[in-house]
Amino acid sequence: MAYLTNVRRKWTTNIVIFTLSLTCCLLILEAVLRLFCPFHFMQPIESFEYDEDLGYRFRKAIHFFHLTDYQQEVKTNQLGALNFQEDLSKYKTIVFALGDSYTQGLGVPTDSSYPFQLDLLLNIDDKGIYSKRYGIVNLGLGPYGGKQELITLKRFEKCLRKPNIVLYLGCSNDYTDDLMFDSGIRHKNLVLHNPHYGWLYYPMKWFLLELEIGKRIKYLVQEGIFKTGAYKAQAEESHGRSVAEMEGDAIEKIVSTARELGAVPVVSWFMVGESYDWLKSWAAQNSVRFADWEPAARSITHAVPGIPWENQHSGAHHRAWLNFVIARAFAQEIRTIRNYSEGHAN
């Protein structure tokens, strides 16, 4: 009997020592990671909430501002669009800007996104006075794919009003995002009010988004399993096609829906390359306006050698000058639409 008691005590002691040792090691690791190698997610999870149709969306009427190694800012109006304007009813022309993080303006302040700069380009006259002519509604959210953007287009047409112009800025991960959306993964993101987690949301959020160890576990699961599988499926289906071509059906539905609503669609791609060239050619063949920003960007990099296209922080994405160039190309197409409409009316 004494022997069994001693064995139990020994096992208990060993378990306690092991637990304390493991806890100390994890605390030390957490401190080291937090001090010397912090991990930053590009999207502030606090700005999202669950959506039955989209998986998740931006929360309404929030202004989330946080500094990591770059400025994370999300400003939404009462409808959930990325706008400082609460009331868009006084704008004569409504423009919906669809896209993912490159439309959202990830990596730069909200007022450096291309839709916001487009707003200034179109609404500030030659005398420097801002007039409410074009209401640019930023509906970008990363990572949304074309299918989620189409749902967003239809939703805001109902809750705001029918747009006069619809902009689409495609991205290299759009097709992958569509695959993840179709698989249901987007509906399982750890966001507020997600019924998959219930009361577990807050403890899981603390562990997976507040602790450096938890962040890395979340990243490995999300990137290592979900995205790797989606990218693998995309690679198997590509057969030499560009991402824009693979996303062609979704783009065509966005364009056709815009036209059904009486809006003029204008498309472009976030970066030059095969997809950019394919979409430009597709747009010409289908009488769709294309915002061709490449010539201006090339001329700037030729005149100012060494200017980077992406931010040098964990958020990466376009720098403000490139967002301006993209906005300028969209503005040129929109002005052409206006001039054509006025001439046609006369």
Side-chain angles (χ1 to χ4, degrees):
M1 193 70 180
Y3 172 76
L4 291 176
T5 301
N6 290 333
V7 170
R8 290 195 187 97
R9 287 177 179 175
K10 185 176 180 179
W11 272 100
T12 301
T13 301
N14 290 338
I15 291 173
V16 171
I17 293 174
F18 173 79
T19 302
L20 291 174
S21 300
L22 179 61
T23 301
C24 289
C25 290
L26 291 175
L27 289 173
I28 293 172
L29 177 61
E30 175 69 22
V32 170
L33 292 174
R34 191 175 290 264
L35 288 172
F36 300 106
C37 191
F39 188 91
H40 305 300
F41 287 110
M42 289 186 292
Q43 293 279 15
I45 197 68
E46 293 87 347
S47 61
F48 298 124
E49 64 182 0
Y50 180 77
D51 186 280
E52 185 177 356
D53 298 320
L54 294 164
Y56 59 94
R57 67 187 178 210
F58 280 123
R59 292 165 56 194
K60 299 176 181 180
I62 62 168
H63 194 172
F64 179 87
F65 184 91
H66 185 58
L67 289 175
T68 55
D69 66 329
Y70 72 101
Q71 177 178 314
Q72 295 183 341
E73 184 176 25
V74 175
K75 171 64 177 72
T76 62
N77 61 17
Q78 58 188 343
L79 296 176
L82 286 164
N83 284 77
F84 286 96
Q85 302 99 320
E86 289 294 339
D87 183 10
L88 292 158
S89 62
K90 300 297 178 62
Y91 288 86
K92 297 179 180 178
T93 301
I94 291 294
V95 181
F96 284 0
L98 303 176
D100 65 354
S101 53
Y102 286 89
T103 299
Q104 174 187 334
L106 196 63
V108 294
T110 298
D111 51 18
S112 291
S113 68
Y114 104 73
F116 187 90
Q117 296 195 46
L118 176 63
D119 185 305
L120 299 182
L121 284 168
L122 292 174
N123 291 316
I124 296 179
D125 62 23
D126 294 338
K127 297 180 180 180
I129 304 301
Y130 185 96
S131 300
K132 293 183 178 182
R133 290 176 290 184
Y134 292 90
I136 313 299
V137 187
N138 188 347
L139 301 179
L141 193 157
Y144 267 10
K147 294 184 178 181
Q148 289 162 293
E149 291 160 15
L150 179 60
I151 294 172
T152 302
L153 167 60
K154 294 178 179 179
R155 175 174 294 183
F156 273 81
E157 174 266 325
K158 293 179 180 178
C159 70
L160 183 56
R161 79 184 211 206
K162 289 184 177 181
N164 303 98
I165 300 169
V166 173
L167 312 180
Y168 165 81
L169 183 66
C171 182
S172 60
N173 59 3
D174 281 358
Y175 188 73
T176 305
D177 290 332
D178 279 345
L179 291 176
M180 297 180 73
F181 177 67
D182 287 339
S183 70
I185 292 175
R186 293 304 184 205
H187 287 77
K188 295 180 181 178
N189 277 32
L190 185 64
V191 295
L192 190 65
H193 303 143
N194 191 324
H196 290 94
Y197 304 108
W199 65 270
L200 288 174
Y201 167 76
Y202 288 104
M204 290 181 67
K205 174 178 174 292
W206 172 79
F207 178 74
L208 295 174
L209 298 173
E210 301 294 335
L211 298 182
E212 292 297 325
I213 295 174
K215 290 178 185 179
R216 284 158 173 81
I217 293 175
K218 182 179 185 298
Y219 178 80
L220 289 174
V221 172
Q222 180 175 308
E223 301 291 326
I225 298 177
F226 298 149
K227 279 199 172 181
T228 299
Y231 276 113
K232 183 179 179 181
Q234 174 177 319
E236 292 174 348
E237 297 175 18
S238 62
H239 301 297
R241 296 181 297 167
S242 67
V243 175
E245 187 175 0
M246 297 174 68
E247 190 71 356
D249 288 342
I251 297 173
E252 187 173 345
K253 288 179 180 178
I254 289 173
V255 168
S256 61
T257 301
R259 286 172 168 169
E260 288 171 5
L261 295 174
V264 179
V266 185
V267 302
S268 191
W269 200 256
F270 88 110
M271 187 60 69
V272 296
E274 291 182 353
S275 287
Y276 188 97
D277 295 337
W278 181 89
L279 185 57
K280 182 177 180 180
S281 176
W282 177 89
Q285 294 172 9
N286 291 275
S287 301
V288 178
R289 295 177 182 275
F290 182 84
D292 190 9
W293 55 267
E294 179 183 11
R298 294 296 189 194
S299 67
I300 292 172
T301 54
H302 178 74
V304 188
I307 185 171
W309 288 37
E310 292 189 342
N311 299 293
Q312 280 75 36
H313 54 58
S314 62
H317 290 76
H318 290 332
R319 294 176 70 94
W321 76 267
L322 191 53
N323 283 336
F324 170 79
V325 171
I326 293 172
R328 180 177 174 274
F330 275 114
Q332 289 176 327
E333 293 299 321
I334 291 173
R335 291 192 183 103
T336 302
I337 295 170
R338 181 192 65 184
N339 294 335
Y340 171 79
S341 300
E342 291 176 352
H344 191 68
N346 295 330

